[in-house]
Amino acid sequence: IIIVEGEIDALSCETAGFTNVASVSSGAGNESWLEFENTREILMQADRIYLATDCDEAGDASARRLAAIFGYKKCFRVTWMDGCKDANEVLVK
């Protein structure tokens, strides 16, 4: 599962051919979306979670919080290519 910060980033990942992409609905810093229906339980069952949040202070903090929630061994931080802060910027370059 790939977690990104916004719907545009989720669509960018899907356009690039990635599946199982989830968007943080309310932006970095707000994990209230985890309480929606059974979201937390589904993510807890995942073998790997790729944290593809924005490459900024808020995105880094969100990735750290999500790794603490789901476990550091199963979470992997995505780093973007130079000059890009998120999945959409990578797609358009």
Side-chain angles (χ1 to χ4, degrees), residues 24-93:
V24 174
S25 60
S26 52
N30 184 346
E31 282 79 36
S32 63
W33 59 276
L34 291 173
E35 305 310 320
F36 182 73
E37 293 186 14
N38 58 350
T39 302
R40 184 184 298 260
E41 291 77 21
I42 291 169
L43 290 171
M44 291 300 265
Q45 294 174 15
D47 292 328
R48 290 183 180 200
I49 298 174
Y50 296 94
L51 304 173
T53 54
D54 289 2
C55 184
D56 58 19
E57 189 175 320
D60 291 339
S62 180
R64 285 192 300 274
R65 282 191 303 278
L66 291 170
I69 291 169
F70 296 113
Y72 296 100
K73 290 185 179 182
K74 72 187 311 178
C75 291
F76 300 86
R77 179 70 164 111
V78 173
T79 55
W80 304 110
M81 60 191 252
D82 287 339
C84 297
K85 75 172 185 75
D86 60 27
N88 187 58
E89 288 187 7
V90 171
L91 180 67
V92 296
K93 282 196 176 198

